[in-house]
Amino acid sequence: MPQDFSPRPKSFGLTTPLLERNPSMDAARIRNFSIIAHIDHGKSTLADQLLLKTGAITEREFKEQILDDLDIERDRGITVKARTVAIDYKHEGKTYELNLIDTPGHVDFHYEVSRSLAACEGALLLVDAFQGVQAQTVANAYAALDANLEIIPVINKIDLPVTRIDEVLEEIETVLGLEPDDALMVSAKQGIGIEEILQAIVERIPAPAGKPDDPLRALVFDSKYDGYRGVMTYVRVVDGTIHKGQPIQFLREQEKHSVIEMGQFRPKMAACEELGPGQVGYVLTGIKDLGQVHVGDTLAEQGRPPESALPGYQQPQQMVFCGMYPTDGGDFEKLRDELQKLGLNDASFTFQPETSEALGFGFRCGFLGMLHMEIIQQRLESEQDIDLIQTAPNVSYEILTRSGEILNIDNPQEVSDAGQIQEFREPMAKVNFILPSQSIGVIMQLCEDRRGTYCSTEYLGTQRAQIVYELPLGEIVYDMHDKLKSATRGYGTMDYEVIGFREADLVKLDVLVKGVRVDALSTIVHRSNADKRGRSLCKRLKDEISKHQFEIPLQAAIGGRIIARETISALRKNVTAKCYGGDITRKRKLWAKQKAGKKRMKQFGQVEIPQKAFLAVLDVGSDD
């Protein structure tokens, strides 16, 4: 088909015209695979090399992390969003279409990995030739096994000056249960072994099932909002064929549309006329309403519905919640619009409006973890130029009231009076640590200090061990990762999954500034730590809140009982500085006038609380 270089709107940072191509491909020559690994084991680098080796990009276009198109991904050097790209590879005289999905490695973005695996038949499991099997390696391998994927183990970074290849192969066999003889030796940085990987993908990963003449069923595994053309839907065709101009509908909302444009990422957007079974691409229908597209939905043809919808995805469970408020009240609607766009592109992020006496109108936002929260906040501030005040994060709790009702609490302000609570339950997580053997004692002590319950220890070799603990989620999400890295000198890793709620002796810790409760500073703590946390919090707030013209008492309270207090002294101006000698009564009059003014200011003056003070609640968790 001749190439069409007609001008098109700029979208997703692409300045080159889209290429018209018809990728009609027999499903037997399609391979859908994902790259999974622990963080920083070389997923994005390997993806770049696969694109370069197959000619999807040229040497001139080649750059590191070509699939990481978000500025924040490049700044931090991590993958935040899963990206898909279709590449062509010739093997034994036949051309195969390889659909690659590059996935994140951090535990906070495990939901992105699970969505990617649902659209694949196989996975490349990358393992660092020196670091070996890590916590997220185990978690991602089990996720791929649960999805019945063909796993190809790959030992990466074999060009390092120091490697442990024999030990790493043993870990792959003992920890993951995979055959070490099937592992491939590569260096993504140097481009070593890339051809062997491509051959293994074709020979070992099964072709997708599905027939082109069956009723259309396509899985919506991601979506993105474009200001020019509306919602862009990422789909994996399972059965049937999508044609340009075809009338379609989303089964969840039963909304009817027609396909305006469709295509694949190669790696830039390349329009095409149809997508058949097993192919991965994007569909544009002109939808402007963000609520009409849901990740996990099934796309079908109008008038020819399939017998059943695709299973979709399990709803992600948010772990961390915080309030986000615009510094300028006029930015509230702008913040709402940007949160809706982020929610469309990230199904694991939720938000709902809330109000605070201290901060005004804002949103209560839910995240999968602390890094996820930082990424969202940074994207809002850097990409959308919105100044935010963020309250201290907290996890979700359960309360069983005396009337038998179970309440889910993600905001400390929703906690009932102590007399109405029969059980206060906190989320528990099963934590898997992989660390050097000499650090076992330090980590066990760290877990015991955080009310952990020991489960098991397994040695992965002479130098490394795997420890499993059950810990309260609230003790993990704030700073456990930082503590682990410090205690193990950077060699320890962790992965966790929430296993349920358990009763605990929890209380709501309130903060009073000048006698007024500041709702945004409230937090939920264990009773045994309440006094210590209250004293530490008051000390930190004293350092963060600047002096005013009047004295400011800071108090920590549980219910009506004050457990800690600090006082910020008033700024004192020397009103008698210009009085040189003379009668003392003149000075006394000035002092009395100053005292009356401070008394009046103490009654009506407002305390300005800076952003750092709201995060002081979080910093208290690091006090030992």
Side-chain angles (χ1 to χ4, degrees), residues 312-366:
Y313 301 106
Q314 183 179 358
Q315 192 68 18
Q317 182 179 2
Q318 283 71 39
M319 305 294 181
V320 177
F321 297 84
C322 80
M324 286 189 176
Y325 297 83
T327 305
D328 183 356
D331 287 339
F332 178 77
E333 289 301 328
K334 180 182 178 182
L335 177 59
R336 184 200 297 273
D337 293 341
E338 297 305 329
L339 289 177
Q340 285 180 333
K341 294 176 184 178
L342 283 174
L344 175 72
N345 189 227
D346 185 353
S348 57
F349 165 67
T350 60
F351 67 95
Q352 58 184 8
E354 72 168 4
T355 58
S356 165
E357 295 179 3
L359 303 176
F361 294 99
F363 295 91
R364 193 73 184 170
C365 303

Side-chain angles (χ1 to χ4, degrees), residues 243-302:
H243 300 279
K244 188 174 181 180
Q246 181 180 17
I248 60 168
Q249 67 178 19
F250 295 95
L251 294 186
R252 177 170 172 175
E253 294 289 335
Q254 294 295 320
E255 293 286 340
K256 298 182 179 180
H257 310 276
S258 61
V259 178
I260 297 175
E261 182 185 309
M262 54 189 296
Q264 295 176 299
F265 294 95
R266 293 184 166 263
K268 297 178 181 178
M269 295 166 61
C272 64
E273 294 296 327
E274 67 175 37
L275 290 174
Q279 291 190 295
V280 178
Y282 67 89
V283 174
L284 286 167
T285 56
I287 297 175
K288 296 291 186 180
D289 184 359
L290 303 178
Q292 292 185 13
V293 178
H294 302 275
V295 171
D297 200 357
T298 301
L299 187 147
E301 184 179 4
Q302 293 183 31

Side-chain angles (χ1 to χ4, degrees), residues 429 431 450 471-481 494 496:
V431 190
R450 297 179 177 229
L471 284 160
L473 184 62
E475 302 284 356
I476 298 173
V477 294
Y478 295 144
D479 62 350
M480 177 62 94
H481 186 264
M494 61 176 279
Y496 63 86

